[in-house]
Amino acid sequence: MSRNAAVPALKTVLDSLEDSKAENVVTIDIQRKSSLADYMIVASGRSNRHVSAVADHLIKALKEAGLGNARVEGLASADWVLIDAGDIIVHVFRPEVRDFYNLEKMWQTPEMEDETVH
């Protein structure tokens, strides 16, 4: 999916998360940081049940938008659900699990120049 193609998919994801009342939604542009995806989205649900409902709603929204079958991990326990929709990766956490892993801090680091030597 090109960056231009990722924009409608991103809107679908964000609209679904808003409709499901996901909390603390953060969108991170990782295009220059990783070849995994263009965007990573991190969101929280209030409980396991809410995390599961947010994830289910998003999976259905992606299918209805014709964005294929997303790969899903963690739905059974619903502590942390990972939804890989190609160039958009969505993490839905219970708040305490999100605090523990703190993905936003890791992925929101400043972009390094290609010439940087460690």
Side-chain angles (χ1 to χ4, degrees):
M1 183 182 311
S2 72
R3 185 172 176 88
N4 290 339
V7 172
L10 182 62
K11 181 175 177 4
T12 297
V13 169
L14 294 174
D15 287 350
S16 174
L17 293 173
E18 183 179 337
D19 289 348
S20 299
K21 304 209 181 327
E23 299 176 346
N24 302 317
V25 177
V26 175
T27 302
I28 305 166
D29 185 340
I30 61 169
Q31 194 169 228
R32 293 182 168 196
K33 297 175 184 175
S34 175
S35 60
L36 291 173
D38 287 344
Y39 297 98
M40 180 177 294
I41 299 173
V42 182
S44 295
R46 294 178 299 279
S47 64
N48 296 79
R49 180 174 280 176
H50 188 219
V51 168
S52 179
V54 168
D56 281 338
H57 188 258
L58 177 55
I59 294 162
K60 288 176 188 165
L62 290 167
K63 284 182 185 176
E64 288 172 3
L67 297 170
N69 292 324
R71 292 184 300 271
V72 181
E73 298 287 334
L75 196 54
S77 67
D79 282 328
W80 173 3
V81 178
L82 168 74
I83 302 167
D84 183 347
D87 282 340
I88 300 174
I89 298 172
V90 182
H91 300 271
V92 185
F93 290 99
R94 281 189 309 108
E96 50 278 1
V97 177
R98 181 177 180 171
D99 289 344
F100 180 80
Y101 288 101
N102 201 4
L103 290 182
E104 295 100 316
K105 184 176 182 183
M106 179 174 62
W107 285 100
Q108 287 182 323
T109 58
E111 294 176 16
M112 296 190 303
E113 297 296 324
D114 293 340
E115 298 86 29
T116 302
V117 179
H118 296 273

